[in-house]
Amino acid sequence: MNFCSQCGAAAIELRVPEGDTLPRYVCAACHTIHYRNPKIVVGCLPEWRGKVLLCKRAIVPRLGLWTLPAGFLENGETLAAGALRETLEEAKAQVDIGELYTVISLPHISQVYMMFRARLASLDFGPGPESLEVRLFDEDDVPWGELAFRTITRTLRNYFLDRKLGGLRLHVSAIEKRATLKPELTGAA
Ligand SMILES: [Zn+2]
């Protein structure tokens, strides 16, 4: 951050404000403290007769890899509305949003994923501008080696495992930067 979004001054300092515990961007001109907090990524797992809907990404990062419809929650938007919007944008699909299914903290990139279960309302879907292809997959057909994000892999693995075990429940977890090196610290799937 170079300029203050409040007053426009090029007087941003990184320091711990009085009474605080973490360094913040503070404007030396107008004294506004510019807090920066995690972003929420919201999406869903659209189901249709045992199959799940995945989108092949047409954008970076992870272009050409498969994902569930998901994206950043907008200001003024509810979680369910965000999941609906992303699904419409990326898969041109109408869904009925169901229960919250996975919540995954990603502290190293300051994001929180919140994925809902959802039921496809019809087979009327197709690639939006951010997708190359949109398809339904059985568990055996899921391109496990070509999934775009670990959050998506975890959500899908939870889903198919829960189905086998006979009940879907909320999963709250975290993925740390070093998950592949120290899985015992992260509970990585
Ligand atoms: Zn300022």
Side-chain angles (χ1 to χ4, degrees), residues 80-143:
L84 274 177
R85 176 182 52 74
E86 290 291 342
T87 307
L88 198 56
E89 287 175 5
E90 295 181 7
K92 294 183 180 173
Q94 298 278 357
V95 291
D96 298 315
I97 297 293
E99 298 285 313
L100 183 61
Y101 185 58
T102 49
V103 177
I104 305 175
S105 293
L106 301 156
H108 58 290
I109 51 172
S110 294
Q111 293 180 4
V112 179
Y113 266 68
M114 305 190 79
M115 303 296 290
F116 288 82
R117 291 181 63 195
R119 194 167 53 81
L120 261 188
S122 76
L123 289 178
D124 184 19
F125 60 78
E130 296 180 2
S131 303
L132 295 169
E133 189 181 347
V134 177
R135 265 188 56 194
L136 285 167
F137 289 91
D138 281 315
E139 179 178 6
D140 292 343
D141 301 330
V142 169

Side-chain angles (χ1 to χ4, degrees), residues 12 23 33 38 40 55 85 90 99 109 113 119-120 123 153 167-169 172 174 186:
I12 299 294
I33 302 171
I40 292 176
C55 307
R85 176 182 52 74
E90 295 181 7
E99 298 285 313
I109 51 172
Y113 266 68
R119 194 167 53 81
L120 261 188
L123 289 178
T153 304
L168 282 85
R169 60 171 183 85
V172 179
T186 64

Side-chain angles (χ1 to χ4, degrees), residues 25-53:
Y25 289 100
V26 181
C27 177
C30 74
H31 308 295
T32 295
I33 302 171
H34 297 276
Y35 293 98
R36 302 205 301 176
N37 299 98
K39 286 186 158 63
I40 292 176
V41 178
V42 66
C44 71
L45 197 170
E47 303 162 64
W48 176 269
R49 295 181 183 170
K51 300 184 180 198
V52 298
L53 190 79

